[in-house]
Amino acid sequence: MPETRSWQVKVGGWGRSAARAVAGAGKGTAEFVADEWFFARQWWRKMPRERKRTWQLAAGSAVSGLAVAAGAIAVSGPWDAGQRTAERTLAAAADNSNGGHHDAEGRAVPHAPPVLAALGSPVSGRGAAPVPTAAGLADALAPLLKAPELGPLRSASVVDVATGREVFGVKQGTPATPASTVKLATAVAALSLLGPDHRIDTTVVAAGAKRIVLVGGGDPTLTARPVRTGFGDQPASLRTLADDTARALKRRKTTTIALGYDTSAYTGPALHPIGRNENLAPVTALMADEGRLDRSDHGTAPRAGDPAAAAARTFAGLLHQRGITVSGAPKSARAPKNADRLAVARSLPLGALVERMLTNSDNDIAEALARQTALAAGRPVSFAGGGDAVRAALAARHLPLAGTAFKDGSGLNRDDKVSAGLLSHLLLDASSPANPTLRPVVTGLPVAAFTGTLSGRYAHTAGAGAVRAKTGTLTGVNTLAGTVVDADGRLLVFAFMTSGTTDPAGAQKALDSLATSVANCGCR
């Protein structure tokens, strides 16, 4: 035990030193972290295998600190004291949320630094982690795939990021219902076509001397609530849009107007095939706070039957507070072509929307991003058009699409079909240093035992902090896909899928055990 304590202190020192180096962001930071990480890996590699499981828990937080340092260097801005601001905000503010049938209980998130595995680890040379073998991973994972809690269909794919080689697979090409893990496909498609800096505009235009039109562009995060201070970048504000509109009208000597609202950016039915559901508002180009009728900002909630009309009524009230009289009730309208723009509210960058979608499994953002992808691809801006656009964008990346079907962007539709191999290769693309535009897919993944839909899972396991993964849950369907650093420091991506389950909690634990086993494995 004295030896145990001394090594805890030493490894903890490595983690703290690396974290301080990144926080300082001074000259030589990357070299310093690489050296510290090298010595930590060397010590870990020399440890007898039977002791690794014990040490995984004892030194987990320290090694996670090193992963934060190395990962932060790899991740592109924006920066704040050496940490990506979106990642910091999500770790500090996000809590458990739901997509499909996720647990909707609100849980406080520990005040701890985010965990970000180092991406693009070297294949050879000093500090290179050994590659796990197919036989080693099969020894660790095959017995767990036989867990009785899993359904009749059980598929898996584990890929080594540095080489791009699949090191473990079981029915990895078999299409299955992905539930919310289909959001990984939505995210990669949207980022591929639009880029992480794209923003969605909500505008107000003049439609004559005494009439204006509120034009929705499809930003589901537009908010009518007061701006919260101290929470990093804020979503587009309907209040700020009302401020700017009122000023523009008063400059024109206009204080009484009629208000229309335009949702023509989207086509097709607004209601998801599952019908009215607290997981998702009717999908429309104009909404405020995702059409929520309570004060929640994620998870299930009662929703407005017509989010666009509700947002327009709220906007009319905000104009009234600013000295502009709105005559009559707001009405659905089409904005004139080439109309004068009076004001605009721009969404957060697409990269931030992707992060929020994945961390909180936000169905409203997912459906909006599928439609933004359709807009960019020149396809019908509907459920069907969004699915076609997502598939085409992934085909352009030469991803394995045999048997796939994209019927929505969120995964609430059981007719969605993807394979474990596709999910793992989506994550492989996003983890590659050659694809910086896809980086929000990785930074948005929930961190085991810390953030989002994984905040209540993996406590006191080797997976805590080491696993980052997107969850997927529908009745009889459980999926998990993400990234993990194994016991030797090798970065892997994985996807585990099962269908036909009858014990949701048991199936979830079985999938978590698979990911934890990879984290605890030096499988060689």
Side-chain angles (χ1 to χ4, degrees):
M1 291 306 293
E3 181 190 3
T4 297
R5 179 64 182 165
S6 67
W7 277 109
Q8 281 180 302
V9 171
K10 186 170 185 62
V11 177
W14 286 332
R16 289 189 296 273
S17 297
R20 283 196 299 270
V22 172
K27 183 179 180 180
T29 296
E31 292 81 358
F32 175 83
V33 172
D35 288 341
E36 293 292 298
W37 187 234
F38 168 71
F39 288 118
R41 279 180 173 171
Q42 291 295 100
W43 164 76
W44 183 255
R45 196 175 304 160
K46 292 176 182 177
M47 179 180 289
R49 179 161 306 184
E50 61 270 17
R51 295 176 60 196
K52 282 186 175 179
R53 184 169 181 83
T54 301
W55 283 107
Q56 189 87 29
L57 298 177
S61 61
V63 175
S64 293
L66 289 166
V68 171
I73 291 171
V75 175
S76 59
W79 293 86
D80 183 0
Q83 185 178 350
R84 194 165 189 264
T85 54
E87 187 72 10
R88 177 204 61 205
T89 303
L90 289 173
D95 60 3
N96 204 34
S97 59
N98 82 335
H101 292 177
H102 295 302
D103 181 8
E105 293 181 7
R107 290 187 176 92
V109 176
H111 290 286
V115 179
L116 179 60
L119 303 181
S121 300
V123 177
S124 61
R126 193 181 80 163
V131 184
T133 66
L137 277 170
D139 286 346
L141 299 180
L144 297 176
L145 277 172
K146 296 178 181 178
E149 295 84 1
L150 297 177
L153 175 61
R154 308 163 187 213
S155 61
S157 175
V158 181
V159 178
D160 175 52
V161 170
T163 63
R165 182 171 60 89
E166 186 171 70
V167 287
F168 179 77
V170 173
K171 296 183 177 178
Q172 61 270 46
T174 301
T177 301
S180 280
T181 53
V182 83
K183 291 181 175 75
L184 295 170
T186 303
V188 168
L191 289 166
S192 296
L193 267 62
L194 295 163
D197 297 323
H198 176 77
R199 295 175 186 260
I200 304 169
D201 290 351
T202 304
T203 60
V204 178
V205 301
K210 297 287 186 177
R211 187 166 178 264
I212 63 173
V213 179
L214 175 63
V215 183
D219 177 10
T221 61
L222 179 70
T223 180
R225 297 170 184 173
V227 173
R228 296 187 297 171
T229 59
F231 283 88
D233 294 336
Q234 297 294 313
S237 170
L238 202 61
R239 292 169 179 256
T240 302
L241 188 63
D243 288 336
D244 296 342
T245 301
R247 280 194 293 268
L249 289 171
K250 289 175 182 177
R251 283 196 297 268
R252 296 182 174 212
K253 310 297 184 185
T254 301
T255 56
T256 300
I257 50 94
L259 175 63
Y261 59 93
D262 187 342
T263 61
S264 61
Y266 288 180
T267 60
L271 200 61
H272 191 280
I274 61 173
R276 296 198 179 278
N277 191 286
E278 291 193 343
N279 283 295
L280 177 68
V283 183
T284 176
L286 175 64
M287 62 172 65
D289 299 299
E290 299 181 339
R292 295 173 182 273
L293 299 178
D294 59 16
R295 300 302 297 171
S296 67
D297 60 7
H298 64 272
T300 56
R303 310 298 184 106
D306 187 346
R313 288 192 298 269
T314 299
F315 188 64
L318 292 170
L319 288 176
H320 179 75
Q321 293 171 12
R322 288 152 178 79
I324 303 296
T325 299
V326 177
S327 58
K331 295 181 180 179
S332 178
R334 290 291 290 265
K337 291 183 178 180
N338 304 316
D340 288 342
R341 178 181 287 190
L342 301 179
V344 61
R346 311 200 74 195
S347 74
L348 290 171
L350 185 70
L353 298 183
V354 165
E355 289 179 322
R356 175 171 164 177
M357 173 185 71
L358 295 176
T359 300
N360 290 333
S361 198
D362 192 301
N363 299 308
D364 299 276
I365 295 178
E367 296 301 346
L369 294 189
R371 279 163 170 71
Q372 294 298 313
T373 304
L375 273 171
R379 294 176 180 265
V381 191
S382 60
F383 285 107
D388 290 344
V390 167
R391 196 181 198 286
L394 301 187
R397 302 192 71 89
H398 307 291
L399 288 160
L401 294 172
T404 57
F406 299 102
K407 300 299 183 180
D408 67 3
S410 63
L412 290 172
N413 194 323
R414 291 178 174 275
D415 290 335
D416 290 329
K417 301 294 178 186
V418 307
S419 65
L422 173 59
L423 293 177
S424 66
H425 280 81
L426 286 166
L427 290 161
L428 178 64
D429 265 15
S431 299
S432 171
N435 298 320
T437 59
L438 301 184
R439 189 57 55 104
V441 175
V442 175
T443 57
L445 292 174
V447 181
F450 283 91
T451 63
T453 55
L454 290 186
S455 62
R457 292 163 64 170
Y458 292 88
H460 311 298
T461 73
V467 172
R468 300 177 66 100
K470 181 70 199 75
T471 57
T473 310
L474 293 168
T475 301
V477 174
N478 295 84
T479 59
L480 189 70
T483 71
V484 62
V485 178
D486 73 7
D488 284 328
R490 193 81 179 187
L491 179 65
L492 308 171
V493 294
F494 66 86
F496 303 120
M497 307 181 74
T498 184
S499 297
T501 58
T502 57
D503 177 4
Q508 176 179 290
K509 289 180 180 179
L511 295 185
D512 288 351
S513 294
L514 284 161
T516 296
S517 182
V518 178
N520 198 42
C521 187
C523 303
R524 283 175 282 136

